[in-house]
């Protein structure tokens, strides 16, 4: 890996525009950590906006 990944990482509040990209990022991290993805374990990722759009929730 070249350089510091934190220099190129941009963290922002999730919006509908980035929902698919956020889902892919989370799933990639889970696969990297656990070695596989169990699609049944994260139903909240199917609609991040609906799952985390309640008052005082941030994804």
């Amino acid at each position: 890996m070249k350089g510091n990944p934190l220099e190129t990482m941009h963290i922002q509040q999730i919006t509908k525009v980035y929902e698919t990209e956020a889902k892919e990022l989370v799933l990639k991290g889970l696969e990297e950590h656990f070695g596989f993805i169990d699609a049944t374990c994260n139903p909240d990722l199917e609609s991040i906006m609906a799952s985390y759009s309640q008052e005082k929730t941030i994804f």
Side-chain angles (χ1 to χ4, degrees):
M1 179 181 274
K2 294 181 180 180
N4 183 346
L6 295 179
E7 291 177 0
T8 59
M9 184 182 294
H10 302 282
I11 299 173
Q12 60 193 48
Q13 188 170 346
I14 187 71
T15 62
K16 191 70 174 169
V17 173
Y18 296 109
E19 188 173 35
T20 299
E21 193 173 338
K23 176 183 175 179
E24 291 170 0
L25 178 66
V26 170
L27 291 174
K28 183 176 178 181
L30 290 170
E31 182 176 29
E32 184 178 302
H33 181 76
F34 294 108
F36 65 95
I37 296 174
D38 182 345
T40 65
C41 289
N42 301 96
D44 58 322
L45 296 179
E46 291 304 316
S47 180
I48 294 171
M49 294 299 296
S51 297
Y52 296 98
S53 64
Q54 299 173 16
E55 188 175 333
K56 298 184 181 181
T57 61
I58 296 177
F59 183 90

